[in-house]
């Protein structure tokens, strides 16, 4: 039923504006709300979900509106013909602006958006070609079959039909391979990159998508108002659009409608009441909105939508689709990973010094050592999360020293994290499906158009298979962070297996597991070894790692102090000294 809502929604779009007794004033408000919701939906994707705050979305309405205004008034184009150009103008300008600003993070990005919103505003106000501050008037209305859609009710139908399309497209995008990449940006970017997600591209995608929605809104605005000037595309408007998304619930698509409605209605009333109340005219509503924003953030930091929404996780499609193609794995016994002279300095601290070891297919190597020995740092060097200061890492026979996490993942290196990195807003199976990102190829556009369903079914079938592999099938639809921490580590293993890895790097997978869960994990890892996988295991539980590993590499203060079979390492004096003279069996 979820997917059938657009049908009644479209009917309502056609019927509601013509309801007898509906004042034309309300139809106008509906138009404003509809246009604002389109913009706010883009902000939901960009800010609420992608984590990039933009105060400048109104400027992209400007790109859409002015493009259509120029093409229709100067060149005599028909309004419909200008639509793709208006949307493309917003998208292309977002590509250019994004190439410069998206490298900034956090508050700096937000400040950057303010800077270009202000510059574009003054640019538009000073360009003769754009009519300076007076703007462009005489924009023709939309026409259908020779009938000019001048009546506000016609505009209302067009705007709300467009909005339904936007919401469907946005939900489709978020429920696709690239949508998961965007949803992983907030909090999960390092993990997503480790599974081959091009996070810079995902950021750009969210930015351009939001701008294109704003461009569409600008096009609608231009033909509704039949005139454009810089004011509605300035910074104040940008702040209001952001406010709408935040008030409604910036991480939720329906929140955009809620927020846009509330802010538009309140704005309309305030413009009426405040001057009467205060006995002077002025933009007092801006102050009220500031207070409102702070109140909402205090009372409901996630916005109002989550308060209205019924809780409960969404049922995911998991068909028995055809298995994904597998990569060619090296023969058991051949060297998969070779680390030579690896070094990492953090300022004066040498976290890893001259570390060398190798791992073969069908072998489990344990990397052990006291806290702070440099194990996790070594993992980050092997997976491209950090660049080594010296030394080489080769995978199969290829030199991967300093390669990006995406490139290393693409070769078949998958990992889990000591500090679990799952995307909190996603279900378990969606998190696991991120591991299969590189095994799909659907583009964002095919996601929006829902042409990716066959591939999605295969990705989710693989995710379901790997969840079954690690024994967590019954958790598939739970929110990822509702699981116990130990189980979240196992989810990370399922995600790693979705990559179809040749080399699996596990950072303390047994931490937080109960005794029988550890036994199940050991059985799983033995099974994977028997299938020919190379596994590098960092683990503090000595019983666990001694029983499982074929070889151990012991680190202390960044250097390798011992290497060999578990029985030999256990008796090595240097190792015993590193563990403060305690017997290894007691340090579990
Ligand atoms: P382990 O995983 O073996 O417990 P780590 O690799 O996490 O050890 O840390 C090794 C050393 O490097 C520690 O002294 C730690 O404080 C330091 N270290 C790790 N990451 C960083 C970093 N990003 N910046 C500075 N020092 C770091
Ligand atoms: Mg560690």
């Amino acid at each position: 039923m979820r997917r059938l809502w657009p049908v009644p929604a479209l009917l309502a779009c056609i019927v509601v504006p013509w309801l007898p007794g509906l004042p034309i004033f309300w139809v106008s408000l509906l138009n404003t709300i509809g246009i604002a919701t389109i913009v706010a939906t883009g902000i939901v994707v960009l800010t609420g979900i992608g984590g990039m705050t933009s105060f400048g979305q109104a400027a992209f309405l400007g790109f859409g509106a002015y493009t259509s205004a120029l093409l229709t008034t100067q060149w005599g184009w028909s309004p419909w013909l200008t639509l793709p150009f208006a949307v493309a103008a917003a998208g292309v300008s977002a590509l250019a602006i994004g190439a410069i600003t998206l490298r900034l993070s956090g508050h700096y990005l937000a400040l950057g958006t303010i800077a270009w919103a202000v510059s574009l505003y003054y640019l538009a106000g000073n360009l003769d070609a754009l009519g300076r501050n007076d703007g462009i008037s005489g924009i023709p209305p939309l026409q259908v079959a020779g009938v000019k859609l001048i009546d506000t009710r016609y505009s209302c139908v067009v705007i709300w039909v467009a909005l339904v399309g936007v919401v469907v497209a946005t939900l489709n995008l978020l429920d696709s391979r690239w949508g998961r990449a965007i949803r992983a940006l907030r909090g999960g970017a390092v993990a997503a990159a480790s599974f081959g997600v091009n996070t810079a591209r995902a950021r750009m995608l969210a930015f351009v998508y939001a701008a294109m929605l704003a461009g569409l809104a600008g096009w609608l605005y231009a033909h509704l108002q039949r005139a454009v000037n810089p004011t509605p595309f300035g910074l104040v408007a940008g702040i209001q659009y952001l406010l709408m998304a935040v008030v409604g619930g910036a991480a939720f698509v329906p929140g955009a409608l809620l927020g846009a409605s509330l802010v538009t209605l309140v704005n309309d009333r305030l413009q009426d009441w405040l001057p009467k109340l205060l006995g002077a005219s002025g933009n007092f509503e801006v102050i009220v909105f500031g207070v409102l924003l702070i109140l909402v953030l205090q009372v409901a930091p996630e916005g109002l939508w989550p308060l209205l929404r019924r809780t409960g996780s969404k049922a995911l499609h998991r068909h028995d689709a055809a298995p994904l193609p597998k990569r060619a794995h090296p023969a058991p016994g051949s060297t998969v990973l070779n680390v030579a002279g690896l070094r990492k300095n953090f300022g004066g601290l040498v976290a890893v010094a001259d570390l060398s070891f190798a791992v073969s297919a069908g072998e489990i190597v344990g990397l052990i050592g006291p806290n702070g020995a440099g194990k996790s740092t070594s993992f980050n060097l092997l997976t491209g999360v950090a660049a080594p200061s010296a030394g080489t890492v080769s995978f199969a026979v290829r030199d991967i020293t300093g390669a990006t996490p995406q490139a290393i993942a693409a070769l078949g290196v998958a990992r889990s994290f000591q500090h679990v990195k799952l995307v909190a807003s996603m279900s378990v199976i969606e998190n696991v499906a991120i591991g299969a990102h590189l095994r799909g190829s659907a583009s964002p556009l095919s996601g929006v158009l829902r042409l990716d369903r066959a591939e999605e079914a295969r990705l989710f079938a693989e995710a379901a298979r790997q969840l079954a592999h690690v024994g967590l099938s019954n958790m598939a639809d739970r929110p990822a962070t509702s699981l116990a921490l130990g189980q979240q580590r196992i989810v990370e293993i399922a995600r790693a297996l979705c990559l179809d890895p040749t080399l699996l790097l596990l950072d303390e997978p047994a931490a937080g597991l109960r005794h029988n869960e550890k036994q199940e994990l050991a059985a799983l890892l033995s099974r994977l070894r028997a299938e020919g996988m190379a596994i590098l295991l960092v683990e503090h539980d000595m019983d666990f790692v001694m029983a499982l590993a074929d070889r151990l590499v012991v680190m202390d203060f960044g250097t390798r102090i011992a290497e060999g079979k578990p029985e030999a390492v256990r008796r090595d004096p240097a190792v015993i000294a590193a563990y403060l003279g305690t017997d290894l069996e007691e340090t579990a």
Side-chain angles (χ1 to χ4, degrees):
M1 286 312 284
R2 271 185 76 86
R3 303 220 59 91
L4 285 181
W5 69 265
V7 177
L10 285 173
L11 282 177
C13 293
I14 295 165
V15 172
V16 168
W18 309 96
L19 284 181
L22 182 70
I24 202 72
F25 159 76
W26 277 97
V27 181
S28 294
L29 268 184
L30 278 176
N31 287 345
T32 311
I33 290 172
I35 289 178
T37 305
I38 294 177
V39 184
T41 302
I43 300 179
V44 164
V45 173
L46 178 67
T47 305
I49 295 173
M52 291 162 275
T53 306
S54 169
F55 289 96
Q57 289 311 102
F60 294 119
L61 270 94
F63 279 104
Y66 273 100
T67 301
S68 197
L70 279 178
L71 290 175
T72 50
T73 60
Q74 306 289 315
W75 298 36
W77 287 31
S78 111
W80 291 110
L81 192 58
T82 65
L83 172 58
F85 292 87
V87 173
V92 169
S93 53
L95 263 179
I97 292 173
I100 306 165
T101 24
L102 281 187
R103 275 171 222 190
L104 304 172
S105 60
H107 302 308
Y108 295 103
L109 174 61
L111 289 175
T113 65
I114 293 177
W116 53 254
V118 171
S119 339
L120 288 171
Y121 173 78
Y122 284 109
L123 183 67
N126 286 294
L127 277 182
D128 284 324
L130 301 183
R132 306 176 74 98
N133 281 317
D134 294 332
I136 300 171
S137 53
I139 302 172
L142 297 174
Q143 285 191 28
V144 171
V147 181
K148 292 188 170 163
L149 305 185
I150 294 185
D151 190 320
T152 313
R153 294 176 213 271
Y154 284 123
S155 308
C156 192
V157 174
V158 173
I159 289 169
W160 280 77
V161 166
L163 173 58
V164 171
V166 161
V167 172
V168 169
T170 304
L171 292 175
N172 287 353
L173 175 66
L174 291 173
D175 184 31
S176 73
R177 180 171 160 268
W178 276 101
R180 283 189 296 281
I182 292 174
R183 289 155 71 197
L185 286 175
R186 238 171 60 164
V190 173
S194 292
F195 289 98
V197 175
N198 186 332
T199 46
R201 194 173 290 172
R203 281 164 73 86
M204 185 63 96
L205 171 63
F207 193 62
V208 169
Y209 183 75
M212 286 167 70
L213 294 195
L216 167 65
W219 177 85
L220 288 165
Y221 177 91
H223 295 285
L224 173 72
Q225 298 292 329
R226 318 264 307 277
V228 293
N229 70 70
T231 309
F233 312 127
L235 184 59
V236 173
I239 292 173
Q240 275 202 2
Y241 288 124
L242 183 60
L243 176 73
M244 291 172 185
V246 171
V247 164
F252 306 93
V253 172
L257 178 57
L258 181 65
S261 308
L262 281 178
V263 171
T264 306
L265 293 175
V266 170
N267 191 19
D268 178 71
R269 292 293 85 209
L270 287 180
Q271 280 177 355
D272 231 27
W273 293 339
L274 283 180
K276 284 184 200 154
L277 199 68
L278 299 170
S281 61
N283 293 338
F284 300 118
E285 66 276 4
V286 176
I287 301 169
V288 177
F289 279 130
V291 175
L292 193 69
L293 179 60
I294 292 169
L295 276 181
V296 167
L297 290 179
Q298 291 276 348
V299 177
E302 291 196 46
L304 300 178
W305 177 252
L307 301 181
L308 298 183
R309 192 179 59 143
R310 286 179 298 125
T311 46
S313 77
K314 93 181 187 195
L316 274 155
H317 47 103
R318 285 198 309 281
H319 316 296
D320 291 325
L324 295 167
K326 297 190 69 135
R327 71 178 86 237
H329 293 288
S334 54
T335 303
V336 168
L337 177 72
N338 198 15
V339 178
L342 200 62
R343 184 181 182 87
K344 180 68 181 178
N345 307 328
F346 290 114
L349 179 95
V350 183
V352 177
D354 198 27
L355 180 67
S356 304
F357 64 89
V359 185
S360 303
E363 182 187 34
I364 298 180
V365 173
L367 185 62
I368 65 169
N371 263 325
K375 307 179 296 292
S376 292
T377 304
S378 302
F379 263 35
N380 288 339
L381 299 178
L382 300 182
T383 51
V385 172
S389 310
T392 56
V393 181
S394 11
F395 178 74
V397 284
R398 203 190 289 241
D399 186 356
I400 57 164
T401 319
T404 62
Q406 289 91 348
I408 294 175
L411 292 174
V413 181
R415 69 173 296 185
S416 71
F417 293 86
Q418 178 179 358
H419 302 288
V420 174
K421 294 189 197 304
L422 296 177
V423 182
S425 60
M426 285 193 205
S427 67
V428 166
I429 193 164
E430 284 178 303
N431 268 288
V432 173
I434 287 185
H437 182 82
L438 287 174
R439 299 174 77 184
S441 60
S443 69
L445 184 62
S446 66
V448 166
L449 299 176
R450 238 166 165 69
L451 302 173
D452 61 344
R453 289 301 99 184
E455 181 183 287
E456 282 285 289
R458 294 177 80 189
L459 295 182
F460 273 84
E462 174 72 6
R465 250 192 304 276
Q466 297 305 347
L467 267 179
H469 213 156
V470 302
L472 286 180
S473 292
N474 53 339
M475 302 290 182
D477 291 331
R478 298 258 303 263
T481 42
S482 72
L483 272 57
L485 204 56
Q487 288 179 322
Q488 292 186 32
R489 290 180 190 287
I490 304 299
V491 172
E492 286 216 334
I493 297 179
R495 178 175 65 185
L497 292 177
C498 268
L499 183 89
D500 183 22
T502 297
L503 173 64
L504 187 59
L505 306 174
L506 302 178
D507 202 346
E508 304 204 12
L513 293 188
R514 288 190 290 260
H515 182 68
N516 59 334
E517 290 173 326
K518 282 183 186 176
Q519 285 178 326
E520 284 165 23
L521 176 61
L524 169 69
L525 296 183
S526 304
R527 222 160 48 231
L528 293 171
R529 164 173 55 193
E531 290 164 13
M533 197 174 292
I535 301 175
L536 182 64
L537 181 69
V538 164
E539 189 46 66
H540 270 301
D541 183 331
M542 287 305 150
D543 288 337
F544 181 84
V545 73
M546 292 270 174
L548 195 59
D550 301 296
R551 268 185 314 122
L552 292 178
V553 174
V554 190
M555 290 181 79
D556 196 15
F557 295 112
T559 54
R560 187 185 68 187
I561 57 168
E563 178 177 2
K565 295 214 174 290
E567 314 82 68
V569 164
R570 191 192 288 266
R571 291 189 301 271
D572 191 309
V575 176
I576 294 171
Y579 279 91
L580 299 172
T582 53
D583 188 282
L584 284 184
E585 273 141 306
E586 289 167 21
T587 59

